[in-house]
Each structure stands twice: as structure tokens, then as C-alpha cells.
Amino acid sequence: MKYERIYNFSAGPATMPEPVLEEIRDEMMNYKGSGMCVMEMSHRSKVYQQIIDEAEQDLRDLMHIPDNYKVLFIQGGATLQFAMIPMNLMKNGVACYVETGAWSKKAINEAKKYGEIHVVASSKDRNYSYIPDCSDLDIPENADYVYICENETIHGVTWPTLPNTKGHVLVSDQSSMFLSRPCNVSDYGMIYAGVQKNVGPAGMVVAIIREDLIRDGLDPKVPLYLSYKTHADNGSMYNTPNCWAIYVCGKVFKYLKSTGGLEAMEKRNIEKAQILYDFLDSSKMFHGTVDKAFRSLMNVPFVTANAELDAQVIAATKAAGYDNLKGHKSVGGLRASIYNAMPKEGVAALVEFLKTFEAENG
Ligand SMILES: *Cc1c(COP(=O)(O)O)cnc(C)c1O
């Protein structure tokens, strides 16, 4: 490989499409004749305004975002949204959450500071290895929204169908699956994603919010910066935005458009994940930790029979150029994050390596 790059299975920040990195490299010293790098530019300049406008438009094109939804670029990562969502969307001070893993649990704990939280379903009983039945949830009439984490990055579970919210607003954390497949935006009141999993550099969230949910009249102690209205009224530039992340994400949006959009991306992601899941289903040494119906296409946790062998495999993969495969401590074992930018060849090569490891050590 030109730059001796490895296959990086990190859960985030994570691998990026190489053509995007190459474009950024080429534009580093002089962005399109401006004589400057994008990180040196005023966010109020015409040249930067075009970057942010195009990023938003390309995302709108990719996801077919309806006109009555705002697209916001906000700093603070996905974690800040755990607080901004209840601060902004609670009118009655009541919300429902589905607990499906580490990230929804964090969101629940934060939201509890702001109102009455109903955990209407949970998969905690089996260490978050499935999505609970959400076809008939007990949702109070005055609930302001129903919150889900649509792909649990640590536990590797994903929602095959959305919950029945009984007419209430659905809010979804799509951080680790954003743009991995087509998405019907109008099924949601709000979608948000920390971009360092499947799109770009760390430190920014893309929030897609239905306009009627963006409002005045928040608690006067809510900082201006934490009101969606502040960001919406100022085109995501109330203050200096994360200029660099917006620039890089914009490149990734264009790249996805040029490679067939989200339909094509989903097809590649299914093929790619299938290679790994087929291996896990046939292996005697390794097995997946998630019930088949809820397996993520993006984050694949798997284990051997014991922690010692897990550690041995992780060390061996790392030495062979497959990095960041150690699972999160709450699940143990290994986890392969195989986001949009992970090529099929990377997954196939990892599977070949694991097969050989099994044959030699089984
Ligand atoms: C990583 C992650 C977060 C937290 O993102 P930060 O940008 O680190 O705050 C939240 N939700 C999910 C699903 C994640 O994968």
C-alpha cells in the first residue's frame, strides 16, 4: 500500500475513505486557489460559506431530507445531545427511553436530570444482546418523545424495525450507523449522529430536527449555545463552528453520492458484514454475542471460550496489521467495527486470518 496503511477496525474515531483523505491532502496547503488551508479560513468568508452550504445540501440529497427539517452542525459530540434533547424537546417534562445498551443507558441517566423518564423497554436482562419488543409500549399520553439508540456501538445490536411510538415524536441516536443505509427521515422527529463513527473527524454532531420541535421558551437558565433555535437561526454559525469537521464531512457526503448513494452503501455493508457473520456462524472457536435478528452491520462483537484466548487473538491480529479489535470491557472479547469506509477486502482478510488462527490453535 502506498502509505503502508493498515486495516483499522476502530469503533471511533474510525477509518475514513482513502479517496477523501487524498483529496484533503491535495487541498491542504491551498484550498481551491484561496491560498489557505481550510483550517486557516474565517468561517465568515465566502469560500467557507460555500463549504458549509454544500455540505448541508449534499447531506439533504443523500438522505432526501424533507424541507421541514433543519440540518444542524453542533459541537460537543453525541454526548452533549444526551442533555440538549431533554432541555429542548421536553415541554411536559416527560419522556420515554428504550434501554438497549451502553449508549442508551448513558442518555437515560443524563435525561433523568431534566424530567420524568420512563424506561419503557429494556434488554438489560441478557446483557443487551437483543432489541426488546416495542410494538405495544406503555407510553404516557403526555410523553414529549420516545428515544432510541438505533445502533448500539458497544453491544453491536441494531433495530430491524422502529418502535411503535403511538404517535409520539421519535428521537434516534444514529451515531454508529449514520449514512450506512437509506433512512426515511420523516419517521423521526429528530435524528442525530456524532460524526466520528461513520463519517468524519471527532467533535461534531449532525442533528436533523423537524422544524416544529425547534422552539423558544426554554428554561431561561439553558445556555444559548444549548438551544437548537440558536443553531437553527444562525445556520450552525452562532459561534465558530467545527469548520474542519464540516469540511471533511462534506467531502464524505460527496464521496457517498458519487459511489451510488445510500442504497449502494447498504448493499456493500450487507455483503461485508455477511462475510464476518458467516464465519462466526461456522467457527467452533469464535461466536457472535448478539441474537441474529438484531445483529449490527457496523459493529460486530464476538468472543472465544475464554478471556485468555481472546487476548491471544487480539495480540495476533494486531501484529498482523488488523488493529483496534479489542472489545469493550462490558462485553469482552473482540469487536470489529466495519463502517462504510472499511473495504470488503479488509473484512475478508480478517476472516482469513481468524480462520488460520483457529486451524492452528483450535
Ligand atoms: C460514540 C457514541 C456516542 C458518544 O459520542 P461522543 O462524540 O464521544 O460524545 C453516543 N452514541 C453512540 C451510539 C456512540 O456510538
Side-chain angles (χ1 to χ4, degrees), residues 35-216:
M36 285 179 267
C37 174
V38 172
M39 68 176 97
E40 301 173 299
M41 273 174 195
S42 165
H43 58 297
R44 305 288 176 203
S45 62
K46 229 165 120 181
V47 55
Y48 192 78
Q49 189 64 50
Q50 192 180 348
I51 291 173
I52 189 170
D53 288 347
E54 276 184 29
E56 175 173 344
Q57 191 54 53
D58 287 330
L59 180 64
R60 285 185 176 278
D61 296 347
L62 264 180
M63 293 183 76
H64 309 293
I65 299 175
D67 288 343
N68 63 326
Y69 285 74
K70 289 277 189 210
V71 172
L72 307 178
F73 301 111
I74 308 173
Q75 302 185 58
T79 300
L80 185 58
Q81 295 310 306
F82 298 164
M84 278 181 80
I85 288 162
M87 280 178 170
N88 283 267
L89 302 189
M90 274 185 175
K91 287 182 184 163
N92 302 325
V94 180
C96 295
Y97 281 68
V98 183
E99 185 190 36
T100 51
W103 290 112
S104 50
K105 193 161 173 46
K106 279 197 165 174
I108 290 166
N109 288 339
E110 186 76 348
K112 279 180 177 166
K113 294 183 186 169
Y114 302 98
E116 182 187 319
I117 301 303
H118 296 251
V119 177
V120 287
S122 171
S123 56
K124 193 177 176 189
D125 60 337
R126 284 201 286 120
N127 196 26
Y128 308 117
S129 57
Y130 67 103
I131 298 290
D133 177 9
C134 291
S135 57
D136 185 19
L137 299 170
D138 192 7
I139 301 170
E141 209 40 61
N142 64 345
D144 290 308
Y145 59 87
V146 176
Y147 179 104
I148 63 169
C149 174
E150 211 167 326
N151 185 79
E152 288 277 5
T153 321
I154 290 173
H155 290 87
V157 286
T158 202
W159 289 69
T161 53
L162 294 175
N164 176 2
T165 65
K166 300 181 173 171
H168 292 80
V169 167
L170 179 63
V171 176
S172 176
D173 177 357
Q174 288 197 348
S175 295
S176 48
M177 60 171 288
F178 194 54
L179 304 180
S180 66
R181 62 176 198 211
C183 168
N184 186 24
V185 174
S186 51
D187 288 342
Y188 305 79
M190 171 175 172
I191 295 165
Y192 75 96
V195 297
Q196 79 276 25
K197 306 292 161 65
N198 210 12
V199 188
M204 191 176 80
V205 147
V206 175
I208 302 164
I209 314 181
R210 218 174 58 209
E211 271 168 1
D212 59 286
L213 299 172
I214 300 174
R215 61 193 180 96
D216 284 320

